Amino acid sequence: MKIFLLLILAFSFFGCDLERENPLDPKNSENTFKRVNLLELFVRTDTSFPYSDYALTASETLSNNSSLKNQVGDFIVLQFHVNDDLALEQNLSHYQTRSKNQNAGVPDLFLNGNENRAQGASSVENALKHYEQILREATLSEVRNAEFFLVCEAEKNGNTIKVSLEIANTSSKAKEDLLLKGVVVANKGLGKNFTVVAWFSKKTISLENGKVAKFEFETSIPTSEPTQTIIWIEENEQVKQAISIEN
């Protein structure tokens, strides 16, 4: 299935300029693109460890809060399982990167990389309160503009997902050492609707301001059930933009 969206990300690079009349022109001062916030929840689920279940339920409730999205901007929830049956090796290394091995312990939630963090979940209500709070604090309860946008085309063939996209730097500065990351999520039920089941290979790129670059990337997935692809871009460990693509 092919989907055309305004997004942000990529992998297989070449630079180009858009025509000035193009409505997506990064040099067109009238173009603005809203930032999508990324919430990364790290969990471990088993019968002797209920706190992750509280966090999972809270994250699902949060993801359906359209009123909050209208206030702070759209946001995406990812559920990374560690040390359980749904865990991937990359999930643990990603958690170690996020936490820097400081006060490590799940459930642990990170907003936009290193913008904010909410650890623990004594109850569903408390976890939900903390998640909403860090979103409001980081955004000042305002929808923020993004420094990047992209036009994306995604195609799923069997257990392979291919993504082609264009990423534009709409900021006033050249960007170096940008880190592009992507995952695939699936609905594993019982509050696990956004479980990460596969990773794309990460990519480091640079992009001049007002420039557009094209990328392609793909990954295989271990399931034939419906999935979503989530892609994001980081600068200095801060997630600058994210997007969700249904496959």
Side-chain angles (χ1 to χ4, degrees), residues 101-134:
N101 288 322
Q102 296 180 359
N103 300 319
V106 297
D108 207 348
L109 181 136
F110 294 81
L111 172 65
N112 293 329
N114 61 8
E115 275 193 40
N116 215 327
R117 183 180 185 182
Q119 194 170 30
S122 59
S123 68
V124 174
E125 292 75 16
N126 282 340
L128 182 59
K129 179 181 178 181
H130 289 159
Y131 299 166
E132 290 183 355
Q133 181 179 353
I134 67 170

PDB file of all heavy atoms in Angstrom, residues 101-134:
ATOM      1  N   ASN A 101      22.243   4.569  31.172  1.00  0.00           N
ATOM      2  CA  ASN A 101      22.441   3.646  32.298  1.00  0.00           C
ATOM      3  C   ASN A 101      22.357   4.344  33.651  1.00  0.00           C
ATOM      4  O   ASN A 101      22.936   3.889  34.645  1.00  0.00           O
ATOM      5  CB  ASN A 101      23.781   2.903  32.165  1.00  0.00           C
ATOM      6  CG  ASN A 101      23.751   1.863  31.062  1.00  0.00           C
ATOM      7  OD1 ASN A 101      22.747   1.191  30.858  1.00  0.00           O
ATOM      8  ND2 ASN A 101      24.855   1.735  30.345  1.00  0.00           N
ATOM      9  N   GLN A 102      21.656   5.446  33.702  1.00  0.00           N
ATOM     10  CA  GLN A 102      21.459   6.169  34.955  1.00  0.00           C
ATOM     11  C   GLN A 102      20.027   5.943  35.444  1.00  0.00           C
ATOM     12  O   GLN A 102      19.065   6.225  34.739  1.00  0.00           O
ATOM     13  CB  GLN A 102      21.725   7.660  34.761  1.00  0.00           C
ATOM     14  CG  GLN A 102      23.159   7.975  34.393  1.00  0.00           C
ATOM     15  CD  GLN A 102      23.386   9.463  34.202  1.00  0.00           C
ATOM     16  OE1 GLN A 102      22.463  10.271  34.320  1.00  0.00           O
ATOM     17  NE2 GLN A 102      24.618   9.834  33.911  1.00  0.00           N
ATOM     18  N   ASN A 103      19.890   5.441  36.657  1.00  0.00           N
ATOM     19  CA  ASN A 103      18.577   5.146  37.243  1.00  0.00           C
ATOM     20  C   ASN A 103      17.747   4.270  36.310  1.00  0.00           C
ATOM     21  O   ASN A 103      16.537   4.474  36.140  1.00  0.00           O
ATOM     22  CB  ASN A 103      17.820   6.443  37.542  1.00  0.00           C
ATOM     23  CG  ASN A 103      18.557   7.337  38.515  1.00  0.00           C
ATOM     24  OD1 ASN A 103      19.129   6.866  39.498  1.00  0.00           O
ATOM     25  ND2 ASN A 103      18.569   8.629  38.245  1.00  0.00           N
ATOM     26  N   ALA A 104      18.392   3.282  35.703  1.00  0.00           N
ATOM     27  CA  ALA A 104      17.686   2.408  34.773  1.00  0.00           C
ATOM     28  C   ALA A 104      16.684   1.544  35.524  1.00  0.00           C
ATOM     29  O   ALA A 104      16.944   1.051  36.620  1.00  0.00           O
ATOM     30  CB  ALA A 104      18.682   1.531  34.016  1.00  0.00           C
ATOM     31  N   GLY A 105      15.526   1.391  34.931  1.00  0.00           N
ATOM     32  CA  GLY A 105      14.477   0.572  35.516  1.00  0.00           C
ATOM     33  C   GLY A 105      13.157   0.880  34.865  1.00  0.00           C
ATOM     34  O   GLY A 105      12.784   2.047  34.746  1.00  0.00           O
ATOM     35  N   VAL A 106      12.462  -0.152  34.429  1.00  0.00           N
ATOM     36  CA  VAL A 106      11.193   0.041  33.727  1.00  0.00           C
ATOM     37  C   VAL A 106      10.031  -0.141  34.693  1.00  0.00           C
ATOM     38  O   VAL A 106      10.175  -0.821  35.715  1.00  0.00           O
ATOM     39  CB  VAL A 106      11.085  -0.957  32.548  1.00  0.00           C
ATOM     40  CG1 VAL A 106      12.183  -0.672  31.533  1.00  0.00           C
ATOM     41  CG2 VAL A 106      11.170  -2.405  33.007  1.00  0.00           C
ATOM     42  N   PRO A 107       8.877   0.477  34.366  1.00  0.00           N
ATOM     43  CA  PRO A 107       8.567   1.269  33.172  1.00  0.00           C
ATOM     44  C   PRO A 107       9.260   2.631  33.201  1.00  0.00           C
ATOM     45  O   PRO A 107       9.402   3.246  34.244  1.00  0.00           O
ATOM     46  CB  PRO A 107       7.047   1.404  33.220  1.00  0.00           C
ATOM     47  CG  PRO A 107       6.720   1.327  34.680  1.00  0.00           C
ATOM     48  CD  PRO A 107       7.690   0.348  35.251  1.00  0.00           C
ATOM     49  N   ASP A 108       9.675   3.059  32.028  1.00  0.00           N
ATOM     50  CA  ASP A 108      10.434   4.297  31.900  1.00  0.00           C
ATOM     51  C   ASP A 108      10.016   4.962  30.587  1.00  0.00           C
ATOM     52  O   ASP A 108      10.070   4.330  29.534  1.00  0.00           O
ATOM     53  CB  ASP A 108      11.930   3.978  31.869  1.00  0.00           C
ATOM     54  CG  ASP A 108      12.789   5.121  32.389  1.00  0.00           C
ATOM     55  OD1 ASP A 108      12.250   6.233  32.552  1.00  0.00           O
ATOM     56  OD2 ASP A 108      13.990   4.906  32.623  1.00  0.00           O
ATOM     57  N   LEU A 109       9.595   6.210  30.656  1.00  0.00           N
ATOM     58  CA  LEU A 109       9.099   6.908  29.481  1.00  0.00           C
ATOM     59  C   LEU A 109       9.953   8.134  29.191  1.00  0.00           C
ATOM     60  O   LEU A 109      10.299   8.891  30.105  1.00  0.00           O
ATOM     61  CB  LEU A 109       7.638   7.313  29.669  1.00  0.00           C
ATOM     62  CG  LEU A 109       6.995   8.033  28.486  1.00  0.00           C
ATOM     63  CD1 LEU A 109       5.593   7.492  28.217  1.00  0.00           C
ATOM     64  CD2 LEU A 109       6.924   9.542  28.747  1.00  0.00           C
ATOM     65  N   PHE A 110      10.301   8.329  27.906  1.00  0.00           N
ATOM     66  CA  PHE A 110      11.089   9.474  27.472  1.00  0.00           C
ATOM     67  C   PHE A 110      10.292  10.269  26.439  1.00  0.00           C
ATOM     68  O   PHE A 110       9.692   9.692  25.542  1.00  0.00           O
ATOM     69  CB  PHE A 110      12.415   9.021  26.865  1.00  0.00           C
ATOM     70  CG  PHE A 110      13.341   8.375  27.852  1.00  0.00           C
ATOM     71  CD1 PHE A 110      13.183   7.041  28.198  1.00  0.00           C
ATOM     72  CD2 PHE A 110      14.359   9.104  28.449  1.00  0.00           C
ATOM     73  CE1 PHE A 110      14.023   6.441  29.126  1.00  0.00           C
ATOM     74  CE2 PHE A 110      15.206   8.516  29.373  1.00  0.00           C
ATOM     75  CZ  PHE A 110      15.036   7.181  29.714  1.00  0.00           C
ATOM     76  N   LEU A 111      10.340  11.584  26.592  1.00  0.00           N
ATOM     77  CA  LEU A 111       9.657  12.471  25.656  1.00  0.00           C
ATOM     78  C   LEU A 111      10.673  13.123  24.728  1.00  0.00           C
ATOM     79  O   LEU A 111      11.615  13.780  25.189  1.00  0.00           O
ATOM     80  CB  LEU A 111       8.884  13.554  26.405  1.00  0.00           C
ATOM     81  CG  LEU A 111       8.281  14.660  25.545  1.00  0.00           C
ATOM     82  CD1 LEU A 111       7.214  14.107  24.611  1.00  0.00           C
ATOM     83  CD2 LEU A 111       7.713  15.787  26.401  1.00  0.00           C
ATOM     84  N   ASN A 112      10.472  12.938  23.423  1.00  0.00           N
ATOM     85  CA  ASN A 112      11.332  13.561  22.420  1.00  0.00           C
ATOM     86  C   ASN A 112      12.814  13.338  22.725  1.00  0.00           C
ATOM     87  O   ASN A 112      13.624  14.264  22.681  1.00  0.00           O
ATOM     88  CB  ASN A 112      11.030  15.051  22.302  1.00  0.00           C
ATOM     89  CG  ASN A 112       9.648  15.307  21.736  1.00  0.00           C
ATOM     90  OD1 ASN A 112       9.136  14.525  20.945  1.00  0.00           O
ATOM     91  ND2 ASN A 112       9.037  16.406  22.148  1.00  0.00           N
ATOM     92  N   GLY A 113      13.157  12.114  23.040  1.00  0.00           N
ATOM     93  CA  GLY A 113      14.543  11.789  23.334  1.00  0.00           C
ATOM     94  C   GLY A 113      14.931  12.222  24.725  1.00  0.00           C
ATOM     95  O   GLY A 113      14.602  11.554  25.707  1.00  0.00           O
ATOM     96  N   ASN A 114      15.601  13.371  24.823  1.00  0.00           N
ATOM     97  CA  ASN A 114      16.092  13.814  26.127  1.00  0.00           C
ATOM     98  C   ASN A 114      15.361  15.025  26.682  1.00  0.00           C
ATOM     99  O   ASN A 114      15.839  15.674  27.604  1.00  0.00           O
ATOM    100  CB  ASN A 114      17.593  14.127  26.034  1.00  0.00           C
ATOM    101  CG  ASN A 114      17.901  15.244  25.044  1.00  0.00           C
ATOM    102  OD1 ASN A 114      17.002  15.902  24.526  1.00  0.00           O
ATOM    103  ND2 ASN A 114      19.180  15.469  24.768  1.00  0.00           N
ATOM    104  N   GLU A 115      14.177  15.336  26.147  1.00  0.00           N
ATOM    105  CA  GLU A 115      13.444  16.513  26.637  1.00  0.00           C
ATOM    106  C   GLU A 115      12.881  16.308  28.032  1.00  0.00           C
ATOM    107  O   GLU A 115      12.869  17.227  28.850  1.00  0.00           O
ATOM    108  CB  GLU A 115      12.309  16.891  25.681  1.00  0.00           C
ATOM    109  CG  GLU A 115      12.738  17.762  24.530  1.00  0.00           C
ATOM    110  CD  GLU A 115      11.549  18.368  23.795  1.00  0.00           C
ATOM    111  OE1 GLU A 115      10.578  18.783  24.465  1.00  0.00           O
ATOM    112  OE2 GLU A 115      11.585  18.409  22.563  1.00  0.00           O
ATOM    113  N   ASN A 116      12.379  15.100  28.298  1.00  0.00           N
ATOM    114  CA  ASN A 116      11.800  14.847  29.614  1.00  0.00           C
ATOM    115  C   ASN A 116      11.674  13.357  29.834  1.00  0.00           C
ATOM    116  O   ASN A 116      11.776  12.559  28.884  1.00  0.00           O
ATOM    117  CB  ASN A 116      10.436  15.531  29.768  1.00  0.00           C
ATOM    118  CG  ASN A 116      10.208  16.039  31.181  1.00  0.00           C
ATOM    119  OD1 ASN A 116      10.667  15.434  32.152  1.00  0.00           O
ATOM    120  ND2 ASN A 116       9.503  17.158  31.310  1.00  0.00           N
ATOM    121  N   ARG A 117      11.428  12.976  31.069  1.00  0.00           N
ATOM    122  CA  ARG A 117      11.405  11.560  31.447  1.00  0.00           C
ATOM    123  C   ARG A 117      10.417  11.352  32.582  1.00  0.00           C
ATOM    124  O   ARG A 117      10.281  12.198  33.468  1.00  0.00           O
ATOM    125  CB  ARG A 117      12.806  11.130  31.888  1.00  0.00           C
ATOM    126  CG  ARG A 117      12.965   9.664  32.255  1.00  0.00           C
ATOM    127  CD  ARG A 117      14.407   9.406  32.676  1.00  0.00           C
ATOM    128  NE  ARG A 117      14.667   8.000  32.926  1.00  0.00           N
ATOM    129  CZ  ARG A 117      15.843   7.520  33.348  1.00  0.00           C
ATOM    130  NH1 ARG A 117      16.852   8.366  33.567  1.00  0.00           N
ATOM    131  NH2 ARG A 117      16.010   6.219  33.556  1.00  0.00           N
ATOM    132  N   ALA A 118       9.704  10.232  32.554  1.00  0.00           N
ATOM    133  CA  ALA A 118       8.769   9.870  33.617  1.00  0.00           C
ATOM    134  C   ALA A 118       8.955   8.393  33.925  1.00  0.00           C
ATOM    135  O   ALA A 118       8.635   7.537  33.095  1.00  0.00           O
ATOM    136  CB  ALA A 118       7.328  10.159  33.210  1.00  0.00           C
ATOM    137  N   GLN A 119       9.483   8.102  35.106  1.00  0.00           N
ATOM    138  CA  GLN A 119       9.812   6.722  35.452  1.00  0.00           C
ATOM    139  C   GLN A 119       8.867   6.191  36.510  1.00  0.00           C
ATOM    140  O   GLN A 119       8.397   6.921  37.376  1.00  0.00           O
ATOM    141  CB  GLN A 119      11.253   6.640  35.948  1.00  0.00           C
ATOM    142  CG  GLN A 119      11.810   5.227  36.021  1.00  0.00           C
ATOM    143  CD  GLN A 119      13.308   5.235  36.282  1.00  0.00           C
ATOM    144  OE1 GLN A 119      13.832   6.136  36.928  1.00  0.00           O
ATOM    145  NE2 GLN A 119      14.002   4.230  35.791  1.00  0.00           N
ATOM    146  N   GLY A 120       8.565   4.874  36.414  1.00  0.00           N
ATOM    147  CA  GLY A 120       7.694   4.242  37.387  1.00  0.00           C
ATOM    148  C   GLY A 120       6.230   4.400  37.043  1.00  0.00           C
ATOM    149  O   GLY A 120       5.853   5.207  36.179  1.00  0.00           O
ATOM    150  N   ALA A 121       5.408   3.622  37.723  1.00  0.00           N
ATOM    151  CA  ALA A 121       3.961   3.689  37.522  1.00  0.00           C
ATOM    152  C   ALA A 121       3.296   2.978  38.689  1.00  0.00           C
ATOM    153  O   ALA A 121       3.077   1.768  38.647  1.00  0.00           O
ATOM    154  CB  ALA A 121       3.558   3.051  36.200  1.00  0.00           C
ATOM    155  N   SER A 122       2.976   3.730  39.735  1.00  0.00           N
ATOM    156  CA  SER A 122       2.359   3.129  40.917  1.00  0.00           C
ATOM    157  C   SER A 122       0.904   2.775  40.672  1.00  0.00           C
ATOM    158  O   SER A 122       0.325   1.949  41.384  1.00  0.00           O
ATOM    159  CB  SER A 122       2.469   4.079  42.108  1.00  0.00           C
ATOM    160  OG  SER A 122       1.841   5.318  41.819  1.00  0.00           O
ATOM    161  N   SER A 123       0.314   3.408  39.649  1.00  0.00           N
ATOM    162  CA  SER A 123      -1.064   3.118  39.258  1.00  0.00           C
ATOM    163  C   SER A 123      -1.268   3.662  37.855  1.00  0.00           C
ATOM    164  O   SER A 123      -0.466   4.465  37.361  1.00  0.00           O
ATOM    165  CB  SER A 123      -2.067   3.757  40.220  1.00  0.00           C
ATOM    166  OG  SER A 123      -2.034   5.169  40.106  1.00  0.00           O
ATOM    167  N   VAL A 124      -2.343   3.252  37.215  1.00  0.00           N
ATOM    168  CA  VAL A 124      -2.663   3.775  35.887  1.00  0.00           C
ATOM    169  C   VAL A 124      -2.895   5.275  35.962  1.00  0.00           C
ATOM    170  O   VAL A 124      -2.410   6.046  35.116  1.00  0.00           O
ATOM    171  CB  VAL A 124      -3.906   3.071  35.311  1.00  0.00           C
ATOM    172  CG1 VAL A 124      -4.327   3.724  33.991  1.00  0.00           C
ATOM    173  CG2 VAL A 124      -3.641   1.593  35.109  1.00  0.00           C
ATOM    174  N   GLU A 125      -3.610   5.700  36.995  1.00  0.00           N
ATOM    175  CA  GLU A 125      -3.967   7.110  37.125  1.00  0.00           C
ATOM    176  C   GLU A 125      -2.731   7.982  37.293  1.00  0.00           C
ATOM    177  O   GLU A 125      -2.609   9.045  36.663  1.00  0.00           O
ATOM    178  CB  GLU A 125      -4.914   7.303  38.316  1.00  0.00           C
ATOM    179  CG  GLU A 125      -6.285   6.700  38.145  1.00  0.00           C
ATOM    180  CD  GLU A 125      -6.302   5.178  38.291  1.00  0.00           C
ATOM    181  OE1 GLU A 125      -5.303   4.620  38.832  1.00  0.00           O
ATOM    182  OE2 GLU A 125      -7.280   4.562  37.866  1.00  0.00           O
ATOM    183  N   ASN A 126      -1.793   7.544  38.146  1.00  0.00           N
ATOM    184  CA  ASN A 126      -0.587   8.339  38.376  1.00  0.00           C
ATOM    185  C   ASN A 126       0.299   8.380  37.134  1.00  0.00           C
ATOM    186  O   ASN A 126       0.878   9.420  36.806  1.00  0.00           O
ATOM    187  CB  ASN A 126       0.204   7.768  39.560  1.00  0.00           C
ATOM    188  CG  ASN A 126      -0.409   8.153  40.893  1.00  0.00           C
ATOM    189  OD1 ASN A 126      -1.171   9.104  40.983  1.00  0.00           O
ATOM    190  ND2 ASN A 126      -0.089   7.395  41.933  1.00  0.00           N
ATOM    191  N   ALA A 127       0.419   7.252  36.449  1.00  0.00           N
ATOM    192  CA  ALA A 127       1.228   7.212  35.232  1.00  0.00           C
ATOM    193  C   ALA A 127       0.651   8.149  34.176  1.00  0.00           C
ATOM    194  O   ALA A 127       1.384   8.920  33.541  1.00  0.00           O
ATOM    195  CB  ALA A 127       1.306   5.788  34.696  1.00  0.00           C
ATOM    196  N   LEU A 128      -0.665   8.106  33.996  1.00  0.00           N
ATOM    197  CA  LEU A 128      -1.314   8.954  33.006  1.00  0.00           C
ATOM    198  C   LEU A 128      -1.120  10.429  33.352  1.00  0.00           C
ATOM    199  O   LEU A 128      -0.846  11.255  32.470  1.00  0.00           O
ATOM    200  CB  LEU A 128      -2.802   8.620  32.931  1.00  0.00           C
ATOM    201  CG  LEU A 128      -3.632   9.390  31.909  1.00  0.00           C
ATOM    202  CD1 LEU A 128      -3.098   9.179  30.495  1.00  0.00           C
ATOM    203  CD2 LEU A 128      -5.099   8.951  31.984  1.00  0.00           C
ATOM    204  N   LYS A 129      -1.222  10.755  34.621  1.00  0.00           N
ATOM    205  CA  LYS A 129      -1.024  12.134  35.070  1.00  0.00           C
ATOM    206  C   LYS A 129       0.381  12.609  34.747  1.00  0.00           C
ATOM    207  O   LYS A 129       0.576  13.732  34.261  1.00  0.00           O
ATOM    208  CB  LYS A 129      -1.285  12.227  36.571  1.00  0.00           C
ATOM    209  CG  LYS A 129      -1.088  13.623  37.157  1.00  0.00           C
ATOM    210  CD  LYS A 129      -1.352  13.634  38.653  1.00  0.00           C
ATOM    211  CE  LYS A 129      -1.122  15.008  39.249  1.00  0.00           C
ATOM    212  NZ  LYS A 129      -1.368  15.018  40.731  1.00  0.00           N
ATOM    213  N   HIS A 130       1.384  11.758  34.996  1.00  0.00           N
ATOM    214  CA  HIS A 130       2.773  12.134  34.739  1.00  0.00           C
ATOM    215  C   HIS A 130       3.033  12.302  33.246  1.00  0.00           C
ATOM    216  O   HIS A 130       3.746  13.220  32.825  1.00  0.00           O
ATOM    217  CB  HIS A 130       3.715  11.082  35.325  1.00  0.00           C
ATOM    218  CG  HIS A 130       3.752  11.089  36.818  1.00  0.00           C
ATOM    219  ND1 HIS A 130       4.169  10.009  37.565  1.00  0.00           N
ATOM    220  CD2 HIS A 130       3.407  12.046  37.723  1.00  0.00           C
ATOM    221  CE1 HIS A 130       4.097  10.301  38.844  1.00  0.00           C
ATOM    222  NE2 HIS A 130       3.632  11.524  38.969  1.00  0.00           N
ATOM    223  N   TYR A 131       2.470  11.416  32.432  1.00  0.00           N
ATOM    224  CA  TYR A 131       2.685  11.490  30.988  1.00  0.00           C
ATOM    225  C   TYR A 131       2.084  12.769  30.406  1.00  0.00           C
ATOM    226  O   TYR A 131       2.703  13.442  29.578  1.00  0.00           O
ATOM    227  CB  TYR A 131       2.087  10.268  30.292  1.00  0.00           C
ATOM    228  CG  TYR A 131       2.688   8.952  30.735  1.00  0.00           C
ATOM    229  CD1 TYR A 131       2.065   7.746  30.428  1.00  0.00           C
ATOM    230  CD2 TYR A 131       3.865   8.908  31.482  1.00  0.00           C
ATOM    231  CE1 TYR A 131       2.612   6.529  30.828  1.00  0.00           C
ATOM    232  CE2 TYR A 131       4.412   7.703  31.891  1.00  0.00           C
ATOM    233  CZ  TYR A 131       3.774   6.513  31.569  1.00  0.00           C
ATOM    234  OH  TYR A 131       4.314   5.323  31.978  1.00  0.00           O
ATOM    235  N   GLU A 132       0.888  13.103  30.852  1.00  0.00           N
ATOM    236  CA  GLU A 132       0.267  14.344  30.395  1.00  0.00           C
ATOM    237  C   GLU A 132       1.066  15.558  30.861  1.00  0.00           C
ATOM    238  O   GLU A 132       1.228  16.539  30.124  1.00  0.00           O
ATOM    239  CB  GLU A 132      -1.170  14.434  30.911  1.00  0.00           C
ATOM    240  CG  GLU A 132      -2.128  13.442  30.275  1.00  0.00           C
ATOM    241  CD  GLU A 132      -3.548  13.628  30.765  1.00  0.00           C
ATOM    242  OE1 GLU A 132      -3.757  14.470  31.670  1.00  0.00           O
ATOM    243  OE2 GLU A 132      -4.453  12.948  30.247  1.00  0.00           O
ATOM    244  N   GLN A 133       1.581  15.484  32.074  1.00  0.00           N
ATOM    245  CA  GLN A 133       2.317  16.605  32.648  1.00  0.00           C
ATOM    246  C   GLN A 133       3.594  16.907  31.865  1.00  0.00           C
ATOM    247  O   GLN A 133       3.885  18.071  31.569  1.00  0.00           O
ATOM    248  CB  GLN A 133       2.657  16.324  34.113  1.00  0.00           C
ATOM    249  CG  GLN A 133       3.411  17.453  34.798  1.00  0.00           C
ATOM    250  CD  GLN A 133       3.709  17.141  36.257  1.00  0.00           C
ATOM    251  OE1 GLN A 133       3.247  16.147  36.814  1.00  0.00           O
ATOM    252  NE2 GLN A 133       4.497  18.000  36.897  1.00  0.00           N
ATOM    253  N   ILE A 134       4.353  15.875  31.510  1.00  0.00           N
ATOM    254  CA  ILE A 134       5.605  16.144  30.805  1.00  0.00           C
ATOM    255  C   ILE A 134       5.339  16.664  29.389  1.00  0.00           C
ATOM    256  O   ILE A 134       6.118  17.466  28.867  1.00  0.00           O
ATOM    257  CB  ILE A 134       6.532  14.917  30.764  1.00  0.00           C
ATOM    258  CG1 ILE A 134       5.949  13.792  29.910  1.00  0.00           C
ATOM    259  CG2 ILE A 134       6.852  14.429  32.164  1.00  0.00           C
ATOM    260  CD1 ILE A 134       6.946  12.675  29.668  1.00  0.00           C
TER     261      ILE A 134
END
